[in-house]
Amino acid sequence: MTLGRLNHIGVATPSIPAAVALYRDLLGAEAIGEAFDLPAQKVRVCFVDAPNSQIELLEPLGADSPIAKFLEKNPAGGQHHVCFEVADIAAAVADLTAKGARVLGAPRIGAHGTLVVFVHPKDMGGVLVELMETPKEGH
Ligand SMILES: CC[C@H](C(=O)O)C(=O)SCCNC(=O)CCNC(=O)[C@H](O)C(C)(C)COP(=O)(O)OP(=O)(O)OC[C@H]1O[C@@H](n2cnc3c(N)ncnc32)[C@H](O)[C@@H]1OP(=O)(O)O
Ligand SMILES: [Co+2]
């Protein structure tokens, strides 16, 4: 696989509205999307756009959300993952698996409507890495 652009940084928060206020009022964020639920991934999502990337604010949907456990350990929230784009997610999964990295589950549709997958943080120096298939032109 070849590492593509940094698509977003995932930030877990107990409150998307409170986090949005910080990015808007403290940092001057001007392009903030509407929050939306992603039930299949057990998260509520809101994107804060920066000129060259995005912050993906994440609230847990339900006690079994992957964010819930993170927030138990980090009640105020915090940096959760980084997401890079790849041209071909299946090829990336095969490559990573062949290299011995733990790919978590099968690719599934993420918040941008394209296939995403995660690599276990223990195989990436303590960083939870998400890979997202680059949206096809015009999609
Ligand atoms: C897909 C929609 C959206 C998008 O962009 O499109 C998203 O990004 S949704 C993001 C939320 N979804 C996920 O994170 C799915 C992948 N995550 C997982 O499978 C788990 O959260 C996992 C495996 C990373 C952790 O599992 P779990 O929380 O059940 O286990 P532990 O808490 O015991 O953690 C095990 C070990 O990993 C360390 N850990 C956990 N989370 C993170 C993290 N975000 N960054 C770095 N390290 C993390 C944790 O500290 C444990 O380490 P240890 O040394 O044993 O304490
Ligand atoms: Co993400």
Side-chain angles (χ1 to χ4, degrees), residues 8 38 41 43 45 47 56 58 66-67 69-70 73 79-81 83 104 108-112 116 118 120-122 126-128 130:
H8 64 266
L38 201 57
Q41 306 308 330
V43 290
V45 182
F47 285 108
E56 180 185 70
L58 296 161
I67 301 294
K69 202 165 178 186
F70 181 91
K73 295 183 179 177
Q79 289 179 107
H80 183 260
H81 65 274
C83 180
L104 300 165
R108 60 267 202 193
I109 297 297
H112 287 86
V116 305
F118 291 83
H120 200 288
K122 293 291 182 199
V127 177
L128 178 59
E130 176 183 4

Side-chain angles (χ1 to χ4, degrees), residues 35-93:
F36 60 94
D37 288 351
L38 201 57
Q41 306 308 330
K42 301 183 172 75
V43 290
R44 183 167 173 76
V45 182
C46 179
F47 285 108
V48 176
D49 291 352
N52 63 339
S53 191
Q54 291 179 309
I55 294 295
E56 180 185 70
L57 298 174
L58 296 161
E59 262 185 30
L61 280 182
D64 61 343
S65 167
I67 301 294
K69 202 165 178 186
F70 181 91
L71 286 171
E72 279 169 28
K73 295 183 179 177
N74 310 277
Q79 289 179 107
H80 183 260
H81 65 274
V82 292
C83 180
F84 296 100
E85 293 181 13
V86 292
D88 180 337
I89 197 105
V93 168

